[in-house]
Amino acid sequence: MDTRYLEYILVLAETGNMTRAASKLFISQPTLSQFLAKQEQEIGTPLFLRTGGVYTLTPVGELYADYARKVLSLTDILNKDIQRISTASRLSIGTSASRALEMLTSILGDFRKYYPNVQLVLSDNNLNAMRNSISRGDVDIAFVTANSLEPYKGNSLELKKEEVVFAAPNSHPYCQSLKDTDRLSLTGRELLRRFGETPFILQLKGSCIRYLVDDFLGKDFNPIIACNTNHAQSICDMVSSSIGAAFIPSGYAVSSPKITYFSLEPKMYRIHSILFRKDLIMEPPHKYLVELAKEYAQENWRKL
């Protein structure tokens, strides 16, 4: 879209001098003078007052300049939107947890409206696999729950911390012995002493919570395993059915007459976060996806 003639008027108004304006516009002075004369003839009234070689906008010129600025601004927005919509690209996204997948499913609708030509490639796996995919460059951005962001300084963004709690069936002897005044918290040593012979429902190795649990309980933790799964709701259902005890994110710790929840000492947290490929150049589609994720976390994860 050719808007250079609008710029001619604005530059002349800015400099107030025909020679300086022509030089700044990289055109000859006669060309600029002829253009101005033609514009004023078409409009039917002067755009500038000429006083001693100084050009000052008339009231009509002020109106013209105001509209010229608006048109140039809108043209710039139009050109950027045309470039955004017409540019096809590929974005590889990974997730490592059901909550991250829920978030991604929710925000992709808005992302596609704004970037309809960006090809999305989605993959889902545990934290360890996502780490490897990021390191190899197979994934551009990974929405994960991590046990620590220390290894990813400069290439990660924390969205929200979520406490991980210990869930035990109310039918367990220790839960039966508790009084209303007893504190519902356990150190690693207390947990092993009270529940060491209890079957456990544990997340698969390589997952965020499994890393946290192994670190919390150390080498002394040799559990009887009833089941291995990363599906948080299924874990809660199995604890409720007295199949075993488990470690679950607090967001899934819904009050139940069949489950007793314990905080851990020290507290255990998983970190909802974004990992970036080290050599990733953040283009507008990447930045927009990250902004959508931040907004989603702020609005939907307040109670985690």
Side-chain angles (χ1 to χ4, degrees), residues 55-250:
Y55 285 70
T56 307
L57 288 169
T58 64
V60 173
E62 291 282 3
L63 183 64
Y64 186 107
D66 184 46
Y67 274 86
R69 293 185 191 96
K70 292 177 182 177
V71 170
L72 289 173
S73 176
L74 289 171
T75 301
D76 181 58
I77 294 171
L78 174 62
N79 289 334
K80 287 179 179 177
D81 281 346
I82 289 173
Q83 183 180 16
R84 168 178 59 79
I85 292 173
S86 62
T87 301
S89 58
R90 184 177 182 274
L91 180 54
S92 178
I93 307 170
T95 60
S96 75
S98 56
R99 199 176 293 282
L101 189 57
E102 288 171 8
M103 176 187 70
L104 194 58
T105 302
S106 178
I107 66 177
L108 281 184
D110 288 335
F111 179 84
R112 291 290 296 168
K113 288 177 185 176
Y114 207 66
Y115 289 102
N117 292 323
V118 173
Q119 179 188 354
L120 301 175
V121 181
L122 307 181
S123 58
D124 181 57
N125 214 318
N126 62 34
L127 175 61
N128 188 52
M130 279 300 115
R131 285 171 171 168
N132 293 334
S133 295
I134 284 283
S135 297
R136 290 194 306 266
D138 297 337
V139 170
D140 300 317
I141 297 177
F143 296 88
V144 303
T145 51
N147 53 313
S148 171
L149 294 182
E150 192 66 26
Y152 312 102
K153 280 187 174 179
N155 296 292
S156 62
L157 174 68
E158 179 181 313
L159 293 174
K160 182 74 175 181
K161 281 183 179 176
E162 180 180 15
E163 186 179 0
V164 176
V165 298
F166 182 66
N170 272 350
S171 58
H172 190 279
Y174 179 64
C175 297
Q176 292 286 319
S177 70
L178 290 172
K179 300 175 183 178
D180 293 339
T181 56
D182 290 338
R183 65 182 177 87
L184 297 180
S185 63
L186 295 166
T187 63
R189 183 173 296 180
E190 288 172 335
L191 191 150
L192 290 174
R193 180 160 55 90
R194 302 291 187 184
F195 296 92
E197 301 301 319
T198 303
F200 278 79
I201 305 151
L202 291 178
Q203 286 78 3
L204 295 163
K205 284 188 176 295
S207 65
C208 167
I209 293 181
R210 188 60 181 269
Y211 278 120
L212 288 167
V213 170
D214 289 346
D215 184 59
F216 181 76
L217 295 176
K219 295 180 181 179
D220 294 334
F221 187 47
N222 296 301
I224 302 167
I225 297 179
C227 181
N228 285 117
T229 178
N230 289 335
H231 194 271
Q233 188 56 56
S234 295
I235 293 174
C236 293
D237 293 341
M238 284 188 272
V239 174
S240 181
S241 299
S242 298
I243 293 173
F247 299 86
I248 63 171
S250 60

